[in-house]
Every structure is written in C-alpha cells, then in structure tokens.
Amino acid sequence: MLNKKSKTSSIIYHTFMIGLGFLMIYPILWMFASALKPEAEIFHNAASLIPSELRWENYTIGWEGYGRYGFDLFFKNSMIVTSFVVLGALFSSSLVAYGFARLQFKFQKILFACLLGTVMLPIQVVIIPQYILFHKIGWVNTFLPLIVPAFLGGSAFFIFLMVQFIRGIPRELDESAVIDGCSQFGIFWHIILPLCKPALITVTIFAFMWTWDDFFTPLIFLQDTKLYTVALGLRGFMDPDAMTAWGPLIAMSSLSLLPQFILFIFCQKYIVEGIATTGLK
Amino acid sequence: MNTSPQLGENQKVIQTITPKKRKLRNNLVAYAFISPWLIGFLFIIVGPMLYSFYLSFTSYDLLSAPRWVGFDNYVRMFTSDPRFWTTLKVTLIFVAIAVPLRLIFALTVAILMNMGHRGSGFYSLIYYVPSIIGGSVAVAVIWRQIFGREGALNAVLGWFNIEGYNWFAHPDYALSVLILLIIWQFGSPMVIFLAGLRQIPKELYEAASVDGANRFHQFFKITLPMLTPVIFFNLIFAIINGFLTFTQAFLITAGGPIDRTLLYALYLYQNAFEYFRMGYASALAWVLLLVIGLLTAIVFISSKKWVYYESEGGK
C-alpha cells in the first residue's frame, strides 16, 4: 500500500513528467495540427493545437509539389535510395563483420583500428574529394553516390555493431560445422547469419531512419528536381524568395516523418535496445 | 567470396597442403569477406582524404585544374579571413553550451525515469520521439515557425503581454534557438544513460543507505562514478556531432543574422559548394579534423583521471 508521503511524491513526479513530456512533443503535435489549419490560423492562432476547421486540402495541394514534380515522385526517389542503402548496409556489414570477428588474417589488428577510426571520421573531411571523384566519373546527379558507398561498408558503425554481436555467438557452433566440412561462406550463411537476426534488424532500422532523414548528401549530389528525395523536395518548398505556402509545406513535412514514426512505433523495442547496447546515433 | 565455396572440397586434402599455403588461403578467404569495406576504405575514405590534403594546398574551382599555392589557404584562414574566426568562435560556443546542457538534461531525465515510478516506458517513448526525426527538414520547418515573429512561442508570450521577437533574426538569440533544438533532441544519450543506470548494482545503494548516506551523497558517490564510462562515451559523440551540425543552421538561419549562427560545417559547405573554393574548403576541413581530433584527444587523456572502470578495481 502507498502511504501518504509516497502518494504525494508520486503525484508530483507524474505531473512533472507529463508536463515535460507535453513540452517535448508539443512541436510535433503542433505540426500535425497546423497541417490541417487554414493558412491564416497558422499565424493568428499559432500556439493552438486544435484547428478551427479541418483543411485536408493542405495535403492535396502539397502533394502536387511544384513545377512538374509532385511529392509522389519525391517519395518514390526516397524509397529507392533508402531501400538500396538498407540492402547495402546489410550486405557489407554482415560480410565484413564476419571477416573481422571470426577469421584470422594479416594486418587484422591495424585494419580493425582503421575501421574504428572511420566510425568517428567527420564526413566533411572526405565529402569534397568524394564530390570531385563522383563528378569525374559522371555520378553526380544520379543516385549512385548515395547508394554505392553503403555497399562498400559506408557506415563503419554498422560493421562495428555486427562485429560485437558476432563475437557474442559461441565459437563451438562454427567449429562443429568445420568438422562437417562446411566452408567459411557456408558457416557465415547457414550458421552465423540466421543467429544475427536481432543485429540485422537494428542495422535495417537505423540505416532506414538515417537515410530517410538525410539532407546533406542528397543536397550535394542531386541537382535535378526529378531526382529530389523528400528532404530536398521539402526544402524546395520553403523557397525564401517566393511566398512560402505554409499550410501545404507543414502538411508535407508531417508526411515526410510518417515512415519514421511508423517504423518507430513497430520497432521501438529494437531501437531502444540498439541505442542502449551500441550507443548508436 | 569466390574462393570460399571450394574450401569444403579442399578440407579433405588438408594434410597434403603445407601450412604456409593454408595460411595464404585463409588470408585470401578473410580478405574476400572484408573486401567490400576494404575497397570502400581505400577508394572513398583514404584516397579522398589524401586528395583533400593535396587540394588544401591548391586553388581549385572544379573547372580549371588545381593550382598549387603552398600554404596560402592556411595563411589566409588565420590572417585575412575574419569569417573563419567568427565561425570557429560560434561553433566553439555552440558546442560548449549545447553539449553539456544536452547531456545534463539527458542524465536528469534518465535518473527521473529510473526512480521506479510506473510508466517510465511510456515516458521514455514520448521523450525519444523528437530524436528519431533528427536533423530532418521537417524539424527545421517546425522550428522556423514556432520561433518566428508570428510563431507559437510569441503567441504564448502574448498571453502574458510579453512582446516577442523573430527569435532567429535577433543576433543575441539566434544561436540559443539552435542550441535549444539540440537539447530538445536528447533522446539517444538519455537511452544510453538509462541503460547505464540499470546496470548499477542495487546492493551499492542499499549498503550506502545503511551507512546513512542521503540521496545527494548516493548520487555523487555511487551513481556518478559508476556512470563515468557512459558519460565518456556520450561526451565524445556529442562533441563530434556538435561540430558537424549543419542541416539545422543551413535551413533555419542560413548562418545569419550577421553570421551569429555561422557554424563551421555550414561555412565549409558554403566555401565548397556555393563559392566553389574547393582548395580553401579542403583546408577548412583539415583544420576541422584537427580541432575535433584535439578535443577528443583531450577528453580521452583526461578520461584516465575521471572514468571509473569496475573491472580495473577502480583504477
């Protein structure tokens, strides 16, 4: 039974936590509410979370996009880029991690140190020569600079995460497979990979979230409006020279976050565990 | 990977192969596995880094060939580019304020959630939501409106008859609004702190309260020391990410007003991709790497004094 003192402290606690929680998600609630407000109300009843009337056309107008390109195209582009990046991250992180975690080879220690070094390497240091390189081989203004690095172990973080995970799998499993005449690739494919499911899910979720979110790389490598991802499409909407159509802009902003929110709702357990155990993001 | 399927057959003749050959084959198999990363490491990390180092001694606009200028870029940066000093100052202030506040906030909330009240799972979800949307454009859109002249914040202030500003057009407040954004997204360090808190043995607290230690003492004598490895980890990544903050400054303030939010990553981008001064931007990038490297090194070295590892017996 709760005594009186702990009951009061519990009330104070929950009041505080709910109050702070409200402040935390207010901007997001505000966005979803404002997406349905008439244009004038976004500014004249700015703090309100309840639209006086529901303007669903903010979504339909926003969806039309601008110029000849609608948001259906931007979503499709984002989907293509994100899917390939996820595939690339799964492919390279699992193979490379198996190599580092289970095999012995020359220069292993020094290469692993290089891998860890790249985890902390600021992208700004390599982005200029990368741009020049991709420019020279004609990849600028295609999806290739966004996708190909993912297949080449682009995010060292994921490899590191997989290495840590594979190291936790008992070695006896692969040893018995060796006795049965299984090749290294066979061990990787039939034994290790199925056991890595939780780590692979974590990689999938974070690769998806980060790529979907990413603004910097598409900004640098994509120029044609028809190649724009959702992030670039939104930015084109907030044209500083023209009058920004706030209603449709906010409506499209809220749509742009939906894939991440949906993923978060369904996979929050993996996300929280993934961050807690590996310190991602 | 092409070498590996044959390995099964070769296993049967293993006795006839010399150890040297076997070692070579093992190496080949291993290198096949790590080849995706190795190729990427050489061609999209090391190669570009070396090239960027070379470019930092040139003048290059992408159109004509790079022209060797020796140390000119670095000399110009330190002697005749006042914006370089502005951007360095702004970024250091930004990191020095945003990083500690973000971590203190994350730790405080994590401790509150770990107090054993019901509903902590629900709260941690709510508090984490702003962080999943990270540096997205939508966040910039929200922030621009809320802190705009006719935005939600001023509407609330209006209830109390307080006149607001266009917050990020005001030289004294613009940077604070960006800092507030970074603090708001404290979810990831919070989750890491929470995991760290849950690993502290309960017996330590029980023993301490038997000895008459109050909450205050327990926090400074048990919680904080036991958390130092996690604090260390969060600190390193918060510092690095702080220096790389780009999207928010680019979209919300574009560096203004009067360069008060001209973060380093933004200035670097402008030089490279707006003014096409690739050589100068490369030099800026190397100075950034040096500054980040120096700061992480300081944190690493100092960590020997303040990070407590249980396995080392508290040494």
Side-chain angles (χ1 to χ4, degrees), chain B residues 79-143:
Chain B
T79 59
S80 56
D81 183 1
R83 292 186 88 202
F84 165 75
W85 292 108
T86 310
T87 190
L88 202 60
K89 199 180 106 192
V90 166
T91 312
L92 286 174
I93 294 172
F94 174 77
V95 171
I97 299 175
V99 168
L101 284 181
R102 183 171 193 236
L103 294 188
I104 290 170
F105 215 69
L107 179 59
T108 313
V109 174
I111 288 170
L112 285 173
M113 280 187 198
N114 201 39
M115 278 169 60
H117 287 278
R118 292 175 63 178
S120 70
F122 171 72
Y123 290 132
S124 72
L125 278 187
I126 299 277
Y127 287 52
Y128 189 67
V129 168
S131 304
I132 60 163
I133 52 181
S136 60
V137 182
V139 169
V141 172
I142 299 174
W143 230 244

Side-chain angles (χ1 to χ4, degrees), chain B residues 217-233:
Chain B
H217 275 122
Q218 287 180 11
F219 176 75
F220 283 101
K221 298 285 180 202
I222 301 170
T223 314
L224 219 47
M226 295 293 283
L227 274 184
T228 46
V230 187
I231 296 173
F232 172 67
F233 180 91

Side-chain angles (χ1 to χ4, degrees), chain A residues 7-38:
Chain A
K7 209 170 186 175
T8 341
S9 83
S10 171
I11 289 169
I12 294 171
Y13 175 85
H14 287 291
T15 315
F16 178 78
M17 292 302 270
I18 290 169
L20 189 63
F22 177 75
L23 276 182
M24 289 291 296
I25 54 164
Y26 171 80
I28 293 162
L29 296 177
W30 176 89
M31 176 187 59
F32 282 104
S34 297
L36 297 172
K37 285 178 185 172

Side-chain angles (χ1 to χ4, degrees), chain B residues 149 153-165 167:
Chain B
R149 171 159 285 287
L153 176 66
N154 287 345
V156 174
L157 290 176
W159 301 342
F160 305 97
N161 280 324
I162 300 170
E163 180 83 23
Y165 304 96
W167 295 91

Side-chain angles (χ1 to χ4, degrees), chain A residues 24, chain B residues 97-103 105-106 130-131 143 176-187:
Chain A
M24 289 291 296
Chain B
I97 299 175
V99 168
L101 284 181
R102 183 171 193 236
L103 294 188
F105 215 69
S131 304
W143 230 244
S176 321
V177 179
L178 287 186
I179 290 173
L180 203 64
L181 174 54
I182 301 297
I183 300 172
W184 179 56
Q185 299 181 322
F186 66 85

